[in-house]
Amino acid sequence: MMGVMSLLYGIVVYLIFLGTFLYAIGFVGDVAVPKTVDSGDHGPLSVAVTLDVLLLGLFAVQHSVMARPAFKRVWTRLVSRSIERTTYVLFASGVLVLLYWQWRPIPQILWQVEHPAAELALQAIFWAGWALVLLSTFLINHFELFGLQQVFARLLGLPSPLPVFKTPFLYKRVRHPIYLGFLLAFWATPTMTLGHLLFAAATTGYILVGIWLEERDLVAVFGDQYRQYRKQVSMLIPFPRKKADLQARMRP
Ligand SMILES: C[S@@+](CC[C@H](N)C(=O)[O-])C[C@H]1O[C@@H](n2cnc3c(N)ncnc32)[C@H](O)[C@@H]1O
């Protein structure tokens, strides 16, 4: 019975995540959704900046704290290990919904790209960024990242899967393709408003801190295997590698 309940919880939360993910595309790209980074009521600048910074801060704290092994060790005394990731995804989605709802636009335009080819290129980068995010989640393990694999394992009476170090396809070029995809999607816009810049700059700062925290945990779990990977593969920008490095990276 608990296995079935966990599975239902996992599926419902996964659907909520899908909704918030799709909404994020419209929110950042200022398309197809009622409230975006540049639309909605805007009051005084000081109120907008304060509220937006608080919302982004809440997002960063929730993501960073709940993802840490020390937090998980305490948290899984209260919440079953099999639904820990699902619960993380639920909290993350909740914070995102709050951000979409309470975000105050700051509509002053800082720069605007009007050349049709350049505009098209920026839009292509925006969509490529989101495609990169989605593709990379599947490369690493989409269903584990969003908690479904864990609740299925519980239903089948299997233990929750242990972390496995992987470097498939794009992970051979950069260590963080998901974060790279977010950066492309957040910065590539033909019209940069003050609000959009605040969003892009704060999330970039958060991603850099998040990488530092994540890599510390990955070194703790995978040790020299991850240290070696870090030496051989760039963090975010796929710089061309020397031949010797390339050969090393091709080894399993
Ligand atoms: C949101 S994902 C981001 C992954 C990666 N930083 C990226 O940008 O593509 C975070 C989870 O991926 C895991 N992770 C990151 N790199 C990994 C790798 N090479 N192999 C397995 N798991 C990895 C982390 O431990 C963490 O649980």
Side-chain angles (χ1 to χ4, degrees), residues 140 145 164-166 171 175-179 214 218 229:
I140 207 158
L145 268 183
V164 182
F165 175 62
K166 294 177 184 159
Y171 283 83
R175 304 197 296 276
H176 301 284
I178 296 179
Y179 299 149
E214 186 176 304
L218 286 162
Y229 177 58

Side-chain angles (χ1 to χ4, degrees), residues 1 15 33 35-36 39 50 55 65 67 83-84 108 168 205 207:
M1 189 60 189
L15 293 175
V33 294
K35 175 82 187 296
T36 72
S39 71
T50 310
L55 289 165
V65 172
I83 56 165
E84 179 272 322
Q108 285 90 332
I207 283 174

Side-chain angles (χ1 to χ4, degrees), residues 23 29 36-37 56 65-66 101 113 148 154-155 158 174 181 191 207-208 214 218 235 244:
Y23 199 99
T36 72
V37 70
L56 289 162
V65 172
M66 287 189 80
W101 175 39
V113 175
L148 276 181
R154 165 135 193 204
L155 184 73
L158 301 170
V174 288
T191 306
I207 283 174
L208 295 176
E214 186 176 304
L218 286 162
M235 184 168 84

Side-chain angles (χ1 to χ4, degrees), residues 19-240:
T20 53
F21 178 78
L22 292 176
Y23 199 99
I25 300 176
F27 181 82
V28 179
D30 211 12
V31 284
V33 294
K35 175 82 187 296
T36 72
V37 70
D38 287 328
S39 71
D41 289 339
H42 58 92
L45 180 67
S46 57
V47 176
V49 172
T50 310
L51 200 61
D52 294 350
V53 168
L54 281 176
L55 289 165
L56 289 162
L58 182 65
F59 177 81
V61 168
Q62 181 274 326
H63 263 71
S64 308
V65 172
M66 287 189 80
R68 298 284 70 79
F71 177 88
K72 289 186 199 173
R73 272 194 295 278
V74 178
W75 187 225
T76 47
R77 288 187 209 142
L78 305 170
V79 169
S80 154
R81 193 170 291 278
S82 61
I83 56 165
E84 179 272 322
R85 190 68 191 178
T86 294
T87 308
Y88 171 88
V89 173
L90 180 64
F91 275 66
S93 303
V95 174
L96 273 181
V97 171
L98 184 69
L99 186 142
Y100 302 149
W101 175 39
Q102 284 302 322
W103 180 264
R104 297 288 187 276
I106 310 173
Q108 285 90 332
I109 293 176
L110 298 175
W111 67 82
Q112 187 149 27
V113 175
E114 278 164 357
H115 191 286
E119 202 178 325
L120 205 65
L122 285 169
Q123 272 159 6
I125 294 171
F126 170 81
W127 288 105
W130 288 110
L132 180 60
V133 170
L134 201 60
L135 169 68
S136 306
T137 65
F138 281 98
L139 290 176
I140 207 158
N141 191 345
H142 180 85
F143 296 108
E144 191 198 1
L145 268 183
F146 299 105
L148 276 181
Q149 190 171 324
Q150 294 85 327
V151 291
F152 266 109
R154 165 135 193 204
L155 184 73
L156 301 175
L158 301 170
S160 280
L162 290 171
V164 182
F165 175 62
K166 294 177 184 159
T167 59
F169 186 35
L170 299 170
Y171 283 83
K172 289 190 172 60
R173 306 296 311 177
V174 288
R175 304 197 296 276
H176 301 284
I178 296 179
Y179 299 149
L180 173 61
F182 281 127
L183 291 174
L184 295 176
F186 294 169
W187 283 96
T189 175
T191 306
M192 183 59 88
T193 61
L194 194 51
H196 195 133
L197 182 72
L198 173 67
F199 182 89
T203 47
T204 300
Y206 169 65
I207 283 174
L208 295 176
V209 174
I211 287 177
W212 180 74
L213 291 169
E214 186 176 304
E215 293 205 333
R216 214 183 46 167
D217 295 343
L218 286 162
V219 166
V221 176
F222 300 112
D224 283 345
Q225 206 180 7
Y226 198 84
R227 282 194 200 95
Q228 194 63 15
Y229 177 58
R230 208 157 49 175
K231 277 193 203 141
Q232 290 166 347
V233 176
S234 313
M235 184 168 84
L236 288 167
I237 302 169
F239 294 116

